[in-house]
Amino acid sequence: MKKFAFLLLALVCYLQPCHATDHTGNNLLSMIGLTPETATRSTVTALIGEPHRIEVNKKRTSWFYKLGNTEVVISWSKKTEALLRFSFKTILDAKTAFDNSLPYQLKSGTTNLAQALKLLGTPQDATIKGKTQEMHYAYQEKVLRLFFRDRVLVDYCLY
C-alpha cells in the first residue's frame, strides 16, 4: 500500500507542472470590464503587457497585441489620452454546438455585460467603443451577436 501511495504521489508531482493554463481569457475579460473613463495606459499595460506594435496617426494611437490565438487592438485619443476603442478577435480551431436554451436566458434591458460573459464565456470577438459594446460568439452552424449600450443588453440575434 505504501508503494502505491508513493507511486501515486510521484505521478501527481510529475503531471502537475505540465498543466497548462491560458490566462488570455481572464485578461480579456478584465479588459472588457474597463470603461473609457477609467482605463489608462498604465492599467492596460498592467493587465496585458506592452504592445507588440504601435501605430500613430493624427487623431489616435493604436496598440496591437498578439496573445496566443487572440489579436487585440486598443485605440487611444491623442488629444485626451482616453480609451477610444478596444477590440479583439480570437481564431478558433473548433467550434462548439449551439445550446438552444441560451437565448432564453438573455433578457434585453436587464442582462448586463458581466452576466452575459458569465453565461456565455469569452466571445470570439468583441468591440467596445464609447457607450456601445458588441460581442460575437461563433458556433458550428450559427453566430450569436450581442449588442450592449452602457453595458446593458439592448439586442441580440442569431444568424
mmCIF file with all atom_site columns, all heavy atoms in Angstrom, residues 72-83:
data_model
loop_
_atom_site.group_PDB
_atom_site.id
_atom_site.type_symbol
_atom_site.label_atom_id
_atom_site.label_alt_id
_atom_site.label_comp_id
_atom_site.label_asym_id
_atom_site.label_entity_id
_atom_site.label_seq_id
_atom_site.pdbx_PDB_ins_code
_atom_site.Cartn_x
_atom_site.Cartn_y
_atom_site.Cartn_z
_atom_site.occupancy
_atom_site.B_iso_or_equiv
_atom_site.pdbx_formal_charge
_atom_site.auth_seq_id
_atom_site.auth_comp_id
_atom_site.auth_asym_id
_atom_site.auth_atom_id
_atom_site.pdbx_PDB_model_num
ATOM 1  N N   . VAL A 1 72 ? -5.497  41.678 -30.377 1.00 0.00 ? 72 VAL A N   1
ATOM 2  C CA  . VAL A 1 72 ? -6.135  42.768 -29.645 1.00 0.00 ? 72 VAL A CA  1
ATOM 3  C C   . VAL A 1 72 ? -5.677  44.091 -30.241 1.00 0.00 ? 72 VAL A C   1
ATOM 4  O O   . VAL A 1 72 ? -4.495  44.267 -30.532 1.00 0.00 ? 72 VAL A O   1
ATOM 5  C CB  . VAL A 1 72 ? -5.763  42.714 -28.142 1.00 0.00 ? 72 VAL A CB  1
ATOM 6  C CG1 . VAL A 1 72 ? -6.403  43.857 -27.385 1.00 0.00 ? 72 VAL A CG1 1
ATOM 7  C CG2 . VAL A 1 72 ? -6.122  41.374 -27.537 1.00 0.00 ? 72 VAL A CG2 1
ATOM 8  N N   . VAL A 1 73 ? -6.617  45.025 -30.402 1.00 0.00 ? 73 VAL A N   1
ATOM 9  C CA  . VAL A 1 73 ? -6.310  46.378 -30.856 1.00 0.00 ? 73 VAL A CA  1
ATOM 10 C C   . VAL A 1 73 ? -6.939  47.354 -29.878 1.00 0.00 ? 73 VAL A C   1
ATOM 11 O O   . VAL A 1 73 ? -8.139  47.263 -29.592 1.00 0.00 ? 73 VAL A O   1
ATOM 12 C CB  . VAL A 1 73 ? -6.838  46.652 -32.280 1.00 0.00 ? 73 VAL A CB  1
ATOM 13 C CG1 . VAL A 1 73 ? -6.501  48.071 -32.718 1.00 0.00 ? 73 VAL A CG1 1
ATOM 14 C CG2 . VAL A 1 73 ? -6.290  45.643 -33.271 1.00 0.00 ? 73 VAL A CG2 1
ATOM 15 N N   . ILE A 1 74 ? -6.130  48.273 -29.369 1.00 0.00 ? 74 ILE A N   1
ATOM 16 C CA  . ILE A 1 74 ? -6.603  49.298 -28.448 1.00 0.00 ? 74 ILE A CA  1
ATOM 17 C C   . ILE A 1 74 ? -6.251  50.647 -29.047 1.00 0.00 ? 74 ILE A C   1
ATOM 18 O O   . ILE A 1 74 ? -5.101  50.888 -29.395 1.00 0.00 ? 74 ILE A O   1
ATOM 19 C CB  . ILE A 1 74 ? -5.954  49.143 -27.066 1.00 0.00 ? 74 ILE A CB  1
ATOM 20 C CG1 . ILE A 1 74 ? -6.266  47.761 -26.501 1.00 0.00 ? 74 ILE A CG1 1
ATOM 21 C CG2 . ILE A 1 74 ? -6.425  50.244 -26.123 1.00 0.00 ? 74 ILE A CG2 1
ATOM 22 C CD1 . ILE A 1 74 ? -5.521  47.416 -25.252 1.00 0.00 ? 74 ILE A CD1 1
ATOM 23 N N   . SER A 1 75 ? -7.260  51.521 -29.159 1.00 0.00 ? 75 SER A N   1
ATOM 24 C CA  . SER A 1 75 ? -7.044  52.847 -29.734 1.00 0.00 ? 75 SER A CA  1
ATOM 25 C C   . SER A 1 75 ? -7.204  53.909 -28.658 1.00 0.00 ? 75 SER A C   1
ATOM 26 O O   . SER A 1 75 ? -8.174  53.889 -27.894 1.00 0.00 ? 75 SER A O   1
ATOM 27 C CB  . SER A 1 75 ? -8.045  53.114 -30.862 1.00 0.00 ? 75 SER A CB  1
ATOM 28 O OG  . SER A 1 75 ? -7.848  52.192 -31.905 1.00 0.00 ? 75 SER A OG  1
ATOM 29 N N   . TRP A 1 76 ? -6.257  54.839 -28.630 1.00 0.00 ? 76 TRP A N   1
ATOM 30 C CA  . TRP A 1 76 ? -6.241  55.931 -27.661 1.00 0.00 ? 76 TRP A CA  1
ATOM 31 C C   . TRP A 1 76 ? -6.350  57.257 -28.401 1.00 0.00 ? 76 TRP A C   1
ATOM 32 O O   . TRP A 1 76 ? -5.778  57.428 -29.467 1.00 0.00 ? 76 TRP A O   1
ATOM 33 C CB  . TRP A 1 76 ? -4.929  55.939 -26.881 1.00 0.00 ? 76 TRP A CB  1
ATOM 34 C CG  . TRP A 1 76 ? -4.620  54.673 -26.161 1.00 0.00 ? 76 TRP A CG  1
ATOM 35 C CD1 . TRP A 1 76 ? -3.859  53.633 -26.616 1.00 0.00 ? 76 TRP A CD1 1
ATOM 36 C CD2 . TRP A 1 76 ? -5.064  54.294 -24.861 1.00 0.00 ? 76 TRP A CD2 1
ATOM 37 N NE1 . TRP A 1 76 ? -3.802  52.644 -25.680 1.00 0.00 ? 76 TRP A NE1 1
ATOM 38 C CE2 . TRP A 1 76 ? -4.533  53.029 -24.589 1.00 0.00 ? 76 TRP A CE2 1
ATOM 39 C CE3 . TRP A 1 76 ? -5.862  54.916 -23.913 1.00 0.00 ? 76 TRP A CE3 1
ATOM 40 C CZ2 . TRP A 1 76 ? -4.766  52.367 -23.391 1.00 0.00 ? 76 TRP A CZ2 1
ATOM 41 C CZ3 . TRP A 1 76 ? -6.090  54.257 -22.718 1.00 0.00 ? 76 TRP A CZ3 1
ATOM 42 C CH2 . TRP A 1 76 ? -5.545  52.988 -22.463 1.00 0.00 ? 76 TRP A CH2 1
ATOM 43 N N   . SER A 1 77 ? -7.034  58.218 -27.800 1.00 0.00 ? 77 SER A N   1
ATOM 44 C CA  . SER A 1 77 ? -7.110  59.562 -28.346 1.00 0.00 ? 77 SER A CA  1
ATOM 45 C C   . SER A 1 77 ? -5.789  60.275 -28.085 1.00 0.00 ? 77 SER A C   1
ATOM 46 O O   . SER A 1 77 ? -5.269  60.240 -26.965 1.00 0.00 ? 77 SER A O   1
ATOM 47 C CB  . SER A 1 77 ? -8.246  60.343 -27.676 1.00 0.00 ? 77 SER A CB  1
ATOM 48 O OG  . SER A 1 77 ? -8.157  61.708 -27.994 1.00 0.00 ? 77 SER A OG  1
ATOM 49 N N   . LYS A 1 78 ? -5.243  60.920 -29.111 1.00 0.00 ? 78 LYS A N   1
ATOM 50 C CA  . LYS A 1 78 ? -4.003  61.660 -28.910 1.00 0.00 ? 78 LYS A CA  1
ATOM 51 C C   . LYS A 1 78 ? -4.260  62.949 -28.137 1.00 0.00 ? 78 LYS A C   1
ATOM 52 O O   . LYS A 1 78 ? -3.395  63.420 -27.416 1.00 0.00 ? 78 LYS A O   1
ATOM 53 C CB  . LYS A 1 78 ? -3.347  61.979 -30.251 1.00 0.00 ? 78 LYS A CB  1
ATOM 54 C CG  . LYS A 1 78 ? -2.673  60.760 -30.863 1.00 0.00 ? 78 LYS A CG  1
ATOM 55 C CD  . LYS A 1 78 ? -1.933  61.086 -32.107 1.00 0.00 ? 78 LYS A CD  1
ATOM 56 C CE  . LYS A 1 78 ? -0.683  61.848 -31.775 1.00 0.00 ? 78 LYS A CE  1
ATOM 57 N NZ  . LYS A 1 78 ? 0.134   62.109 -32.953 1.00 0.00 ? 78 LYS A NZ  1
ATOM 58 N N   . LYS A 1 79 ? -5.455  63.485 -28.259 1.00 0.00 ? 79 LYS A N   1
ATOM 59 C CA  . LYS A 1 79 ? -5.782  64.754 -27.608 1.00 0.00 ? 79 LYS A CA  1
ATOM 60 C C   . LYS A 1 79 ? -6.033  64.588 -26.115 1.00 0.00 ? 79 LYS A C   1
ATOM 61 O O   . LYS A 1 79 ? -5.476  65.310 -25.294 1.00 0.00 ? 79 LYS A O   1
ATOM 62 C CB  . LYS A 1 79 ? -7.012  65.367 -28.264 1.00 0.00 ? 79 LYS A CB  1
ATOM 63 C CG  . LYS A 1 79 ? -7.369  66.744 -27.779 1.00 0.00 ? 79 LYS A CG  1
ATOM 64 C CD  . LYS A 1 79 ? -8.662  67.208 -28.427 1.00 0.00 ? 79 LYS A CD  1
ATOM 65 C CE  . LYS A 1 79 ? -8.409  68.423 -29.264 1.00 0.00 ? 79 LYS A CE  1
ATOM 66 N NZ  . LYS A 1 79 ? -9.644  68.959 -29.842 1.00 0.00 ? 79 LYS A NZ  1
ATOM 67 N N   . THR A 1 80 ? -6.868  63.617 -25.743 1.00 0.00 ? 80 THR A N   1
ATOM 68 C CA  . THR A 1 80 ? -7.273  63.462 -24.343 1.00 0.00 ? 80 THR A CA  1
ATOM 69 C C   . THR A 1 80 ? -6.619  62.273 -23.638 1.00 0.00 ? 80 THR A C   1
ATOM 70 O O   . THR A 1 80 ? -6.814  62.097 -22.435 1.00 0.00 ? 80 THR A O   1
ATOM 71 C CB  . THR A 1 80 ? -8.797  63.282 -24.252 1.00 0.00 ? 80 THR A CB  1
ATOM 72 O OG1 . THR A 1 80 ? -9.155  62.075 -24.923 1.00 0.00 ? 80 THR A OG1 1
ATOM 73 C CG2 . THR A 1 80 ? -9.528  64.469 -24.832 1.00 0.00 ? 80 THR A CG2 1
ATOM 74 N N   . GLU A 1 81 ? -5.905  61.425 -24.372 1.00 0.00 ? 81 GLU A N   1
ATOM 75 C CA  . GLU A 1 81 ? -5.295  60.203 -23.826 1.00 0.00 ? 81 GLU A CA  1
ATOM 76 C C   . GLU A 1 81 ? -6.336  59.204 -23.334 1.00 0.00 ? 81 GLU A C   1
ATOM 77 O O   . GLU A 1 81 ? -6.019  58.286 -22.587 1.00 0.00 ? 81 GLU A O   1
ATOM 78 C CB  . GLU A 1 81 ? -4.321  60.536 -22.679 1.00 0.00 ? 81 GLU A CB  1
ATOM 79 C CG  . GLU A 1 81 ? -3.139  61.377 -23.093 1.00 0.00 ? 81 GLU A CG  1
ATOM 80 C CD  . GLU A 1 81 ? -2.160  60.626 -23.979 1.00 0.00 ? 81 GLU A CD  1
ATOM 81 O OE1 . GLU A 1 81 ? -1.917  59.434 -23.734 1.00 0.00 ? 81 GLU A OE1 1
ATOM 82 O OE2 . GLU A 1 81 ? -1.637  61.241 -24.920 1.00 0.00 ? 81 GLU A OE2 1
ATOM 83 N N   . ALA A 1 82 ? -7.589  59.368 -23.727 1.00 0.00 ? 82 ALA A N   1
ATOM 84 C CA  . ALA A 1 82 ? -8.663  58.475 -23.300 1.00 0.00 ? 82 ALA A CA  1
ATOM 85 C C   . ALA A 1 82 ? -8.753  57.264 -24.228 1.00 0.00 ? 82 ALA A C   1
ATOM 86 O O   . ALA A 1 82 ? -8.382  57.328 -25.400 1.00 0.00 ? 82 ALA A O   1
ATOM 87 C CB  . ALA A 1 82 ? -9.992  59.221 -23.294 1.00 0.00 ? 82 ALA A CB  1
ATOM 88 N N   . LEU A 1 83 ? -9.291  56.184 -23.710 1.00 0.00 ? 83 LEU A N   1
ATOM 89 C CA  . LEU A 1 83 ? -9.537  54.979 -24.496 1.00 0.00 ? 83 LEU A CA  1
ATOM 90 C C   . LEU A 1 83 ? -10.676 55.246 -25.471 1.00 0.00 ? 83 LEU A C   1
ATOM 91 O O   . LEU A 1 83 ? -11.767 55.635 -25.062 1.00 0.00 ? 83 LEU A O   1
ATOM 92 C CB  . LEU A 1 83 ? -9.903  53.819 -23.571 1.00 0.00 ? 83 LEU A CB  1
ATOM 93 C CG  . LEU A 1 83 ? -10.250 52.493 -24.228 1.00 0.00 ? 83 LEU A CG  1
ATOM 94 C CD1 . LEU A 1 83 ? -9.017  51.864 -24.834 1.00 0.00 ? 83 LEU A CD1 1
ATOM 95 C CD2 . LEU A 1 83 ? -10.866 51.554 -23.211 1.00 0.00 ? 83 LEU A CD2 1
#
